[in-house]
PDB file of all heavy atoms in Angstrom:
ATOM      1  N   CYS A  50       2.662  -5.526   7.417  1.00 98.00           N
ATOM      2  CA  CYS A  50       2.139  -6.628   8.231  1.00 98.00           C
ATOM      3  C   CYS A  50       2.839  -7.947   8.013  1.00 98.00           C
ATOM      4  O   CYS A  50       2.826  -8.826   8.894  1.00 98.00           O
ATOM      5  CB  CYS A  50       0.647  -6.752   7.968  1.00 98.00           C
ATOM      6  SG  CYS A  50      -0.305  -5.308   8.447  1.00 98.00           S
ATOM      7  N   THR A  51       3.426  -8.175   6.829  1.00 98.00           N
ATOM      8  CA  THR A  51       4.173  -9.407   6.548  1.00 98.00           C
ATOM      9  C   THR A  51       5.382  -9.038   5.688  1.00 98.00           C
ATOM     10  O   THR A  51       5.508  -7.901   5.210  1.00 98.00           O
ATOM     11  CB  THR A  51       3.340 -10.446   5.759  1.00 98.00           C
ATOM     12  OG1 THR A  51       3.326 -10.086   4.380  1.00 98.00           O
ATOM     13  CG2 THR A  51       1.908 -10.513   6.287  1.00 98.00           C
ATOM     14  N   LEU A  52       6.262 -10.001   5.439  1.00 98.00           N
ATOM     15  CA  LEU A  52       7.388  -9.740   4.600  1.00 98.00           C
ATOM     16  C   LEU A  52       7.219 -10.280   3.188  1.00 98.00           C
ATOM     17  O   LEU A  52       8.190 -10.419   2.445  1.00 98.00           O
ATOM     18  CB  LEU A  52       8.683 -10.332   5.249  1.00 98.00           C
ATOM     19  CG  LEU A  52       9.218  -9.513   6.411  1.00 98.00           C
ATOM     20  CD1 LEU A  52      10.409 -10.176   7.058  1.00 98.00           C
ATOM     21  CD2 LEU A  52       9.604  -8.067   5.976  1.00 98.00           C
ATOM     22  N   GLY A  53       6.022 -10.613   2.807  1.00 98.00           N
ATOM     23  CA  GLY A  53       5.751 -11.022   1.419  1.00 98.00           C
ATOM     24  C   GLY A  53       6.439 -12.295   1.009  1.00 98.00           C
ATOM     25  O   GLY A  53       6.939 -12.432  -0.100  1.00 98.00           O
ATOM     26  N   GLU A  54       6.400 -13.276   1.916  1.00 98.00           N
ATOM     27  CA  GLU A  54       7.118 -14.533   1.668  1.00 98.00           C
ATOM     28  C   GLU A  54       6.611 -15.311   0.450  1.00 98.00           C
ATOM     29  O   GLU A  54       7.341 -16.146  -0.104  1.00 98.00           O
ATOM     30  CB  GLU A  54       6.983 -15.452   2.919  1.00 98.00           C
ATOM     31  CG  GLU A  54       7.688 -14.927   4.147  1.00 98.00           C
ATOM     32  CD  GLU A  54       6.858 -13.948   4.988  1.00 98.00           C
ATOM     33  OE1 GLU A  54       5.784 -13.517   4.521  1.00 98.00           O
ATOM     34  OE2 GLU A  54       7.278 -13.655   6.135  1.00 98.00           O
ATOM     35  N   GLU A  55       5.363 -15.035   0.033  1.00 97.00           N
ATOM     36  CA  GLU A  55       4.777 -15.771  -1.105  1.00 97.00           C
ATOM     37  C   GLU A  55       4.883 -14.981  -2.435  1.00 97.00           C
ATOM     38  O   GLU A  55       4.245 -15.350  -3.412  1.00 97.00           O
ATOM     39  CB  GLU A  55       3.331 -16.081  -0.817  1.00 97.00           C
ATOM     40  CG  GLU A  55       3.113 -17.063   0.322  1.00 97.00           C
ATOM     41  CD  GLU A  55       3.709 -18.427   0.037  1.00 97.00           C
ATOM     42  OE1 GLU A  55       3.421 -18.989  -1.030  1.00 97.00           O
ATOM     43  OE2 GLU A  55       4.457 -18.935   0.879  1.00 97.00           O
ATOM     44  N   GLY A  56       5.668 -13.925  -2.459  1.00 97.00           N
ATOM     45  CA  GLY A  56       5.771 -13.115  -3.658  1.00 97.00           C
ATOM     46  C   GLY A  56       6.387 -13.882  -4.834  1.00 97.00           C
ATOM     47  O   GLY A  56       7.234 -14.766  -4.642  1.00 97.00           O
ATOM     48  N   GLU A  57       5.930 -13.573  -6.025  1.00 97.00           N
ATOM     49  CA  GLU A  57       6.468 -14.162  -7.251  1.00 97.00           C
ATOM     50  C   GLU A  57       7.708 -13.344  -7.688  1.00 97.00           C
ATOM     51  O   GLU A  57       7.593 -12.155  -7.941  1.00 97.00           O
ATOM     52  CB  GLU A  57       5.430 -14.193  -8.370  1.00 97.00           C
ATOM     53  CG  GLU A  57       4.225 -15.067  -8.013  1.00 97.00           C
ATOM     54  CD  GLU A  57       3.176 -15.016  -9.103  1.00 97.00           C
ATOM     55  OE1 GLU A  57       3.202 -14.089  -9.934  1.00 97.00           O
ATOM     56  OE2 GLU A  57       2.301 -15.889  -9.110  1.00 97.00           O
ATOM     57  N   VAL A  58       8.841 -13.980  -7.790  1.00 98.00           N
ATOM     58  CA  VAL A  58      10.110 -13.292  -8.048  1.00 98.00           C
ATOM     59  C   VAL A  58      10.305 -13.090  -9.540  1.00 98.00           C
ATOM     60  O   VAL A  58      10.222 -14.045 -10.332  1.00 98.00           O
ATOM     61  CB  VAL A  58      11.288 -14.076  -7.424  1.00 98.00           C
ATOM     62  CG1 VAL A  58      12.615 -13.405  -7.799  1.00 98.00           C
ATOM     63  CG2 VAL A  58      11.133 -14.193  -5.915  1.00 98.00           C
ATOM     64  N   ILE A  59      10.569 -11.841  -9.934  1.00 98.00           N
ATOM     65  CA  ILE A  59      10.727 -11.518 -11.357  1.00 98.00           C
ATOM     66  C   ILE A  59      12.131 -11.773 -11.873  1.00 98.00           C
ATOM     67  O   ILE A  59      12.302 -12.475 -12.883  1.00 98.00           O
ATOM     68  CB  ILE A  59      10.266 -10.085 -11.612  1.00 98.00           C
ATOM     69  CG1 ILE A  59       8.786  -9.914 -11.315  1.00 98.00           C
ATOM     70  CG2 ILE A  59      10.576  -9.674 -13.054  1.00 98.00           C
ATOM     71  CD1 ILE A  59       8.269  -8.476 -11.407  1.00 98.00           C
ATOM     72  N   PRO A  60      13.189 -11.229 -11.261  1.00 98.00           N
ATOM     73  CA  PRO A  60      14.534 -11.378 -11.870  1.00 98.00           C
ATOM     74  C   PRO A  60      15.017 -12.822 -11.824  1.00 98.00           C
ATOM     75  O   PRO A  60      15.006 -13.471 -10.767  1.00 98.00           O
ATOM     76  CB  PRO A  60      15.411 -10.474 -11.011  1.00 98.00           C
ATOM     77  CG  PRO A  60      14.473  -9.590 -10.229  1.00 98.00           C
ATOM     78  CD  PRO A  60      13.238 -10.393 -10.046  1.00 98.00           C
ATOM     79  N   PRO A  61      15.515 -13.349 -12.946  1.00 97.00           N
ATOM     80  CA  PRO A  61      15.993 -14.730 -12.934  1.00 97.00           C
ATOM     81  C   PRO A  61      17.106 -14.975 -11.921  1.00 97.00           C
ATOM     82  O   PRO A  61      17.180 -16.082 -11.345  1.00 97.00           O
ATOM     83  CB  PRO A  61      16.510 -14.918 -14.368  1.00 97.00           C
ATOM     84  CG  PRO A  61      15.721 -13.954 -15.182  1.00 97.00           C
ATOM     85  CD  PRO A  61      15.515 -12.761 -14.287  1.00 97.00           C
ATOM     86  N   HIS A  62      17.974 -13.992 -11.678  1.00 98.00           N
ATOM     87  CA  HIS A  62      19.096 -14.225 -10.772  1.00 98.00           C
ATOM     88  C   HIS A  62      18.655 -14.311  -9.302  1.00 98.00           C
ATOM     89  O   HIS A  62      19.466 -14.688  -8.457  1.00 98.00           O
ATOM     90  CB  HIS A  62      20.161 -13.120 -10.934  1.00 98.00           C
ATOM     91  CG  HIS A  62      19.734 -11.778 -10.406  1.00 98.00           C
ATOM     92  ND1 HIS A  62      18.922 -10.921 -11.125  1.00 98.00           N
ATOM     93  CD2 HIS A  62      20.033 -11.110  -9.258  1.00 98.00           C
ATOM     94  CE1 HIS A  62      18.726  -9.822 -10.430  1.00 98.00           C
ATOM     95  NE2 HIS A  62      19.380  -9.906  -9.295  1.00 98.00           N
ATOM     96  N   LEU A  63      17.379 -13.989  -9.024  1.00 98.00           N
ATOM     97  CA  LEU A  63      16.853 -14.121  -7.677  1.00 98.00           C
ATOM     98  C   LEU A  63      15.785 -15.213  -7.567  1.00 98.00           C
ATOM     99  O   LEU A  63      15.150 -15.359  -6.514  1.00 98.00           O
ATOM    100  CB  LEU A  63      16.288 -12.792  -7.198  1.00 98.00           C
ATOM    101  CG  LEU A  63      17.326 -11.667  -7.038  1.00 98.00           C
ATOM    102  CD1 LEU A  63      16.628 -10.341  -6.718  1.00 98.00           C
ATOM    103  CD2 LEU A  63      18.337 -11.994  -5.923  1.00 98.00           C
ATOM    104  N   ALA A  64      15.554 -15.972  -8.643  1.00 97.00           N
ATOM    105  CA  ALA A  64      14.488 -16.944  -8.658  1.00 97.00           C
ATOM    106  C   ALA A  64      14.644 -18.025  -7.592  1.00 97.00           C
ATOM    107  O   ALA A  64      13.643 -18.600  -7.132  1.00 97.00           O
ATOM    108  CB  ALA A  64      14.410 -17.616 -10.057  1.00 97.00           C
ATOM    109  N   HIS A  65      15.872 -18.267  -7.159  1.00 98.00           N
ATOM    110  CA  HIS A  65      16.089 -19.294  -6.158  1.00 98.00           C
ATOM    111  C   HIS A  65      15.462 -18.949  -4.810  1.00 98.00           C
ATOM    112  O   HIS A  65      15.290 -19.847  -3.969  1.00 98.00           O
ATOM    113  CB  HIS A  65      17.608 -19.511  -5.942  1.00 98.00           C
ATOM    114  CG  HIS A  65      18.308 -18.316  -5.428  1.00 98.00           C
ATOM    115  ND1 HIS A  65      18.672 -17.218  -6.227  1.00 98.00           N
ATOM    116  CD2 HIS A  65      18.729 -17.972  -4.164  1.00 98.00           C
ATOM    117  CE1 HIS A  65      19.289 -16.306  -5.515  1.00 98.00           C
ATOM    118  NE2 HIS A  65      19.332 -16.744  -4.240  1.00 98.00           N
ATOM    119  N   LEU A  66      15.089 -17.668  -4.599  1.00 98.00           N
ATOM    120  CA  LEU A  66      14.487 -17.253  -3.345  1.00 98.00           C
ATOM    121  C   LEU A  66      13.017 -17.690  -3.233  1.00 98.00           C
ATOM    122  O   LEU A  66      12.502 -17.841  -2.124  1.00 98.00           O
ATOM    123  CB  LEU A  66      14.587 -15.751  -3.183  1.00 98.00           C
ATOM    124  CG  LEU A  66      15.993 -15.143  -3.108  1.00 98.00           C
ATOM    125  CD1 LEU A  66      15.889 -13.615  -3.114  1.00 98.00           C
ATOM    126  CD2 LEU A  66      16.708 -15.619  -1.880  1.00 98.00           C
ATOM    127  N   GLU A  67      12.365 -17.832  -4.364  1.00 97.00           N
ATOM    128  CA  GLU A  67      10.913 -18.079  -4.361  1.00 97.00           C
ATOM    129  C   GLU A  67      10.602 -19.484  -3.859  1.00 97.00           C
ATOM    130  O   GLU A  67      11.066 -20.483  -4.441  1.00 97.00           O
ATOM    131  CB  GLU A  67      10.360 -17.879  -5.755  1.00 97.00           C
ATOM    132  CG  GLU A  67       8.845 -17.988  -5.830  1.00 97.00           C
ATOM    133  CD  GLU A  67       8.296 -17.627  -7.186  1.00 97.00           C
ATOM    134  OE1 GLU A  67       8.889 -16.801  -7.896  1.00 97.00           O
ATOM    135  OE2 GLU A  67       7.214 -18.180  -7.572  1.00 97.00           O
ATOM    136  N   GLY A  68       9.805 -19.570  -2.784  1.00 95.00           N
ATOM    137  CA  GLY A  68       9.373 -20.868  -2.279  1.00 95.00           C
ATOM    138  C   GLY A  68      10.456 -21.696  -1.580  1.00 95.00           C
ATOM    139  O   GLY A  68      10.207 -22.855  -1.272  1.00 95.00           O
ATOM    140  N   ALA A  69      11.608 -21.118  -1.311  1.00 97.00           N
ATOM    141  CA  ALA A  69      12.700 -21.876  -0.721  1.00 97.00           C
ATOM    142  C   ALA A  69      12.473 -22.084   0.755  1.00 97.00           C
ATOM    143  O   ALA A  69      11.809 -21.292   1.436  1.00 97.00           O
ATOM    144  CB  ALA A  69      14.033 -21.136  -0.937  1.00 97.00           C
ATOM    145  N   ASP A  70      13.042 -23.178   1.273  1.00 96.00           N
ATOM    146  CA  ASP A  70      12.906 -23.488   2.696  1.00 96.00           C
ATOM    147  C   ASP A  70      13.521 -22.371   3.554  1.00 96.00           C
ATOM    148  O   ASP A  70      14.566 -21.818   3.201  1.00 96.00           O
ATOM    149  CB  ASP A  70      13.618 -24.816   3.006  1.00 96.00           C
ATOM    150  CG  ASP A  70      12.901 -26.016   2.426  1.00 96.00           C
ATOM    151  OD1 ASP A  70      11.719 -25.887   2.088  1.00 96.00           O
ATOM    152  OD2 ASP A  70      13.542 -27.087   2.293  1.00 96.00           O
ATOM    153  N   GLY A  71      12.865 -22.085   4.658  1.00 95.00           N
ATOM    154  CA  GLY A  71      13.352 -21.035   5.552  1.00 95.00           C
ATOM    155  C   GLY A  71      12.973 -19.640   5.156  1.00 95.00           C
ATOM    156  O   GLY A  71      13.359 -18.662   5.824  1.00 95.00           O
ATOM    157  N   ASP A  72      12.207 -19.500   4.069  1.00 96.00           N
ATOM    158  CA  ASP A  72      11.732 -18.184   3.611  1.00 96.00           C
ATOM    159  C   ASP A  72      12.847 -17.154   3.445  1.00 96.00           C
ATOM    160  O   ASP A  72      12.812 -16.060   3.987  1.00 96.00           O
ATOM    161  CB  ASP A  72      10.696 -17.615   4.592  1.00 96.00           C
ATOM    162  CG  ASP A  72       9.345 -18.305   4.509  1.00 96.00           C
ATOM    163  OD1 ASP A  72       9.066 -18.916   3.472  1.00 96.00           O
ATOM    164  OD2 ASP A  72       8.586 -18.248   5.515  1.00 96.00           O
TER     165      ASP A  72
END
Side-chain angles (χ1 to χ4, degrees):
C50 297
T51 80
L52 285 175
E54 294 86 348
E55 294 296 309
E57 296 177 343
V58 175
I59 296 174
H62 70 281
L63 295 173
H65 63 281
L66 298 174
E67 185 174 330
D70 291 342
D72 287 337

